[in-house]
Amino acid sequence: MSLSERERTEILGAIRKQVLKNHINVGGVSYDAWIKLMEERRPTLLAGGTEAFETGVQQLLLELGGSHTVFYHESTNQFLPQHTINASLRLFECSGSARWTFLDVYDDGPAHTVGIRPGDALIAVDGIACQTSVMPRFLLGQTYRLTLSTPGGDNCRDVHVAVPARKGTKERPLSLSRRVWRTR
């Protein structure tokens, strides 16, 4: 499904309104600076394809400094780690290179069950090196081979983590787009 410029404009307006009304600002983000950044990125967000729009909005929301403020297009089935394997990742610099590093690993979640712990670095997913420019995402109902290391990059190991095949409910949808960002 392709979004029109009008639909994108409405979505951006809804996001701005929701952030200013509901965002819990634990990171002390300047909302004025964030709104200015949103306006600077608006032409690019309105011009690209649907995937570029979603990625751009995700990047904009990452500027708020929280791991649980996200945007999903309603047709996507790839989700961030905190929503799939119950673990959050953050980009950290170590020995001159950036790596996705597990920050929170929630007890009894898929990541915890296979032995992933806070501080483990994610090197690759299914043998493909992780790109530092894009947060890794996972499909529901799939099993992935994750290559992990210590923060310094040594002691590599592989784990197989299964992402449950979950269905959203009206009370707890998998995608926020249907309840929060939908403009029609």
Side-chain angles (χ1 to χ4, degrees):
M1 175 181 150
S2 181
L3 296 170
S4 70
E5 184 174 327
R6 184 180 129 293
E7 290 171 315
R8 292 173 196 218
T9 299
E10 289 175 0
I11 290 169
L12 291 174
I15 290 170
R16 177 182 172 156
K17 181 179 175 182
Q18 289 291 328
V19 165
L20 294 176
K21 181 179 177 184
N22 297 315
H23 183 255
I24 299 170
N25 196 357
V26 295
V29 172
S30 164
Y31 289 126
D32 290 336
W34 184 80
I35 290 169
K36 182 179 177 188
L37 182 63
M38 180 183 234
E39 292 306 315
E40 289 170 1
R41 293 182 183 174
R42 179 181 295 273
T44 303
L45 293 170
L46 297 178
T50 300
E51 188 174 329
F53 177 73
E54 181 181 340
T55 301
V57 170
Q58 287 283 21
Q59 291 297 321
L60 196 58
L61 292 173
L62 283 174
E63 298 290 335
L64 294 170
S67 64
H68 289 72
T69 305
V70 295
F71 171 79
Y72 294 118
H73 183 263
E74 65 187 7
S75 65
T76 191
N77 59 358
Q78 289 188 331
F79 297 94
L80 295 170
Q82 59 264 35
H83 304 294
T84 52
I85 62 172
N86 298 99
S88 61
L89 292 166
R90 185 174 178 137
L91 205 55
F92 280 104
E93 285 278 331
C94 184
S95 303
S97 65
R99 297 181 191 273
W100 288 109
T101 303
F102 286 92
L103 190 59
D104 295 307
V105 180
Y106 304 105
D107 290 346
D108 301 323
H112 183 264
T113 301
V114 299
I116 297 172
R117 298 295 178 256
D120 286 342
L122 179 60
I123 306 301
V125 176
D126 290 335
I128 300 170
C130 291
Q131 307 237 346
T132 57
S133 60
V134 180
M135 172 82 70
R137 295 179 184 214
F138 301 96
L139 292 169
L140 300 178
Q142 301 290 317
T143 298
Y144 294 91
R145 178 175 49 93
L146 306 182
T147 303
L148 309 171
S149 76
T150 59
D154 41 339
N155 296 330
C156 285
R157 70 186 195 279
D158 285 343
V159 296
H160 289 83
V161 63
V163 178
R166 297 181 182 139
K167 290 188 177 185
T169 65
K170 187 175 181 179
E171 295 77 31
R172 188 175 183 152
L174 283 174
S175 172
L176 295 178
S177 63
R178 291 187 183 99
R179 288 186 59 201
V180 177
W181 309 122
R182 186 120 193 196
T183 59
R184 289 188 257 164

